[in-house]
């Protein structure tokens, strides 16, 4: 399987456009806050497709008080007895908030289905209920955007190899990730079936070709910005006050406190 090909982006061009898009995302967040809007962005795709890197670039300059990442762990025993969508509902945004789902309720259509963590009946019920669930979100005023990061088998294999060799990224690789190599076609069929049922007019899927991570990040961010009718909100006028004159305060002697050693001085 071959991924998308396009002109190679230089680091200089990439970083300049990335900063421009991040500046616009900061404006988008301020609009969301001012308008009391609710924005949900779903990031899905194969393992090592670049979802995490894209999320980090999206949120890098956003105010964490109003933009958060929802990356849910495995469900607890109690959560397993709930309505499937229930534990995701509590992470949905309130007015003025942005939530980015690093994987989402679509776990049931992917890994749970392929690896046998849910029954065929539960999978079928998910495919039937998910469009209704998402239509309810949109009808209630939530701005819902769904991105599928598509990576080729060769690119995924190379990223897995680099993670195995890099101690700083080794944590990204789990036994479940490696099993996805031997279940490539099963995941492909599951994704195709999921798309048939959940690519709906109210909440369509947008495919991000991600063999080139830089292009994928820029394309995804530009699309998100173009899909929301935001406008720049004038910031409040702030004036830096003059520092008042001293009233005689003196800092305690340094030897009364424990300071961090100056490691940088040894470099």
């Amino acid at each position: 399987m071959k991924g998308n090909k396009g002109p190679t982006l230089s680091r200089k061009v990439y970083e300049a456009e990335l900063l421009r898009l991040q500046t616009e995302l900061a404006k988008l967040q301020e609009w969301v806050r001012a308008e009391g809007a609710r924005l949900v962005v779903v990031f899905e795709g194969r393992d090592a497709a670049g979802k995490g890197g894209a999320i980090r670039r999206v949120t890098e300059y956003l105010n964490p008080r109003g933009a958060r990442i929802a990356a849910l762990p495995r469900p607890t025993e109690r959560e397993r007895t709930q309505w499937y969508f229930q534990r995701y509902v509590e992470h949905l945004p309130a007015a003025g908030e942005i939530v980015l789902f690093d994987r989402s309720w679509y776990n049931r259509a992917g890994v749970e289905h392929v690896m046998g963590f849910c029954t065929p009946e539960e999978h079928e019920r998910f495919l039937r209920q998910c469009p209704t669930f998402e239509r309810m979100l949109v009808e209630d005023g939530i701005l819902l955007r769904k991105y599928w990061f598509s990576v080729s088998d060769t690119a995924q294999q190379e990223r897995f190899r680099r993670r195995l060799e890099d101690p700083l990224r080794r944590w990204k690789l789990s036994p479940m990730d490696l099993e996805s190599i031997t279940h490539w076609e099963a995941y492909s069929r599951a994704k195709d079936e999921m798309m048939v049922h959940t690519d709906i007019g109210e909440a369509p899927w947008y495919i991000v070709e991600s063999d080139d991570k830089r292009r994928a990040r820029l394309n995804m961010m530009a699309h998100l910005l173009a899909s929301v009718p935001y406008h720049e909100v004038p910031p409040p006028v702030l004036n830096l006050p003059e520092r008042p004159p001293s009233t005689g305060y003196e800092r305690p002697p340094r030897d009364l406190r424990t300071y961090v050693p100056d490691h940088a001085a040894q470099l």
Side-chain angles (χ1 to χ4, degrees), residues 17 20-25 27-29 31 39 41 58 143-145 147 206 217-231:
E17 180 61 7
R20 187 190 72 82
L21 292 171
Q22 289 174 324
T23 301
E24 290 301 313
L25 285 167
K27 296 177 184 177
L28 169 64
Q29 182 181 27
W31 175 84
L39 175 60
V41 187
V58 168
L143 300 170
L144 176 59
R145 302 293 181 268
Y147 292 100
Y206 298 106
R217 292 164 188 163
L218 299 183
N219 292 341
M220 176 266 149
M221 293 163 69
H223 182 274
L224 174 62
L225 289 164
S227 74
V228 179
Y230 76 100
H231 57 79

Side-chain angles (χ1 to χ4, degrees), residues 63-257:
N63 185 340
R65 291 192 181 97
R68 67 180 185 275
I69 301 168
L72 277 61
R74 293 179 181 178
T76 65
E77 288 303 314
R78 180 177 182 275
E79 288 172 334
R80 292 179 190 276
T81 68
Q82 297 175 343
W83 176 49
Y84 176 72
F85 295 94
Q86 187 170 337
R87 75 185 191 120
Y88 295 98
V89 169
E90 65 179 284
H91 294 276
L92 294 173
E97 294 180 346
I98 300 172
V99 176
L100 298 93
F101 279 92
D102 185 356
R103 295 199 180 277
S104 65
W105 45 89
Y106 282 100
N107 277 340
R108 175 136 296 178
V111 64
E112 290 190 16
H113 174 52
V114 173
M115 302 305 297
F117 298 152
C118 69
T119 66
E121 293 76 19
E122 288 171 331
H123 175 245
E124 181 182 346
R125 187 183 311 129
F126 170 84
L127 294 178
R128 188 171 62 251
Q129 290 184 351
C130 184
T132 301
F133 172 67
E134 292 182 351
R135 287 187 178 104
M136 290 171 65
L137 299 183
V138 174
E139 183 180 358
D140 200 61
I142 288 178
L143 300 170
L144 176 59
R145 302 293 181 268
K146 304 186 308 192
Y147 292 100
W148 178 272
F149 282 70
S150 178
V151 64
S152 66
D153 51 359
T154 53
Q156 184 193 57
Q157 190 91 358
E158 175 60 19
R159 290 173 188 176
F160 281 165
R161 184 190 63 77
R162 290 201 301 268
R163 289 179 180 182
L164 277 172
E165 298 172 354
D166 186 349
L168 297 180
R169 294 190 291 177
R170 180 64 180 78
W171 63 270
K172 292 184 175 183
L173 201 57
S174 70
M176 191 66 64
D177 294 332
L178 296 179
E179 284 201 48
S180 68
I181 296 175
T182 58
H183 293 80
W184 179 272
E185 290 193 358
Y187 274 107
S188 295
R189 294 188 182 97
K191 183 262 293 182
D192 291 344
E193 185 178 11
M194 176 196 79
M195 292 283 181
V196 167
H197 288 84
T198 64
D199 186 18
I200 59 177
E202 296 89 342
W205 277 106
Y206 298 106
I207 311 300
V208 182
E209 296 281 7
S210 62
D211 273 13
D212 184 328
K213 288 185 177 181
R214 292 181 184 176
R215 293 168 62 89
R217 292 164 188 163
L218 299 183
N219 292 341
M220 176 266 149
M221 293 163 69
H223 182 274
L224 174 62
L225 289 164
S227 74
V228 179
Y230 76 100
H231 57 79
E232 186 170 0
V233 177
V237 177
L238 302 175
N239 294 309
L240 188 65
E242 295 290 335
R243 187 174 299 278
S246 173
T247 59
Y249 169 78
E250 293 185 6
R251 187 175 184 177
R254 289 177 60 89
D255 58 8
L256 294 180
R257 301 289 182 265

